[in-house]
């Protein structure tokens, strides 16, 4: 693995700071919408939170079980040798 010396890190941080300061110093173009977005209803994210949590737990359980079975098969093969 290539090691990065502290001088390179300092140079990268300096360049990043110079670029980001220039981007933050730009004038605000204003609000691009004609109407206030507060009038529109919110995104329907609330309807998807519970199903995605359940799906996430199910996927996590599946991969944990798959890993456990794989490890138990590996140890079984090593004990037979």
């Amino acid at each position: 693995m290539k090691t990065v010396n502290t001088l390179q890190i300092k140079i990268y941080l300096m360049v990043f700071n110079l670029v980001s300061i220039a981007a933050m110093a730009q004038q605000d173009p204003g609000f691009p919408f004609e109407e206030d977005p507060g009038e529109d209803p919110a995104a329907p994210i609330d309807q998807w939170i519970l199903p995605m949590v359940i799906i996430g737990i199910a996927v996590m359980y599946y991969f944990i079980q798959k890993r456990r079975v794989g490890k138990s098969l590996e140890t079984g093969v090593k004990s037979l040798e």
Side-chain angles (χ1 to χ4, degrees):
M1 184 171 144
K2 181 182 174 185
T3 59
V4 180
N5 63 14
T6 57
L7 180 63
Q8 286 178 330
I9 293 173
K10 289 178 184 178
I11 291 172
Y12 288 141
L13 286 174
M14 186 181 68
V15 169
F16 176 75
N17 285 333
L18 290 174
V19 170
S20 64
I21 288 172
M24 288 188 288
Q26 293 179 355
Q27 185 178 12
D28 187 23
F31 201 71
F33 302 112
E34 296 159 1
E35 300 141 5
D36 184 21
E39 299 172 3
D40 296 333
I45 295 173
D46 291 340
Q47 298 173 356
W48 290 99
I49 290 177
L50 185 61
M52 290 301 148
V53 168
I54 293 171
I55 290 172
I57 291 172
V59 168
M60 182 177 62
Y61 178 77
Y62 170 75
F63 282 114
I64 288 173
Q65 290 300 323
K66 186 176 175 183
R67 176 179 274 184
R68 285 185 186 167
V69 169
K71 285 185 178 181
S72 67
L73 289 177
E74 289 175 6
T75 57
V77 169
K78 288 180 183 177
S79 64
L80 291 176
E81 292 176 350

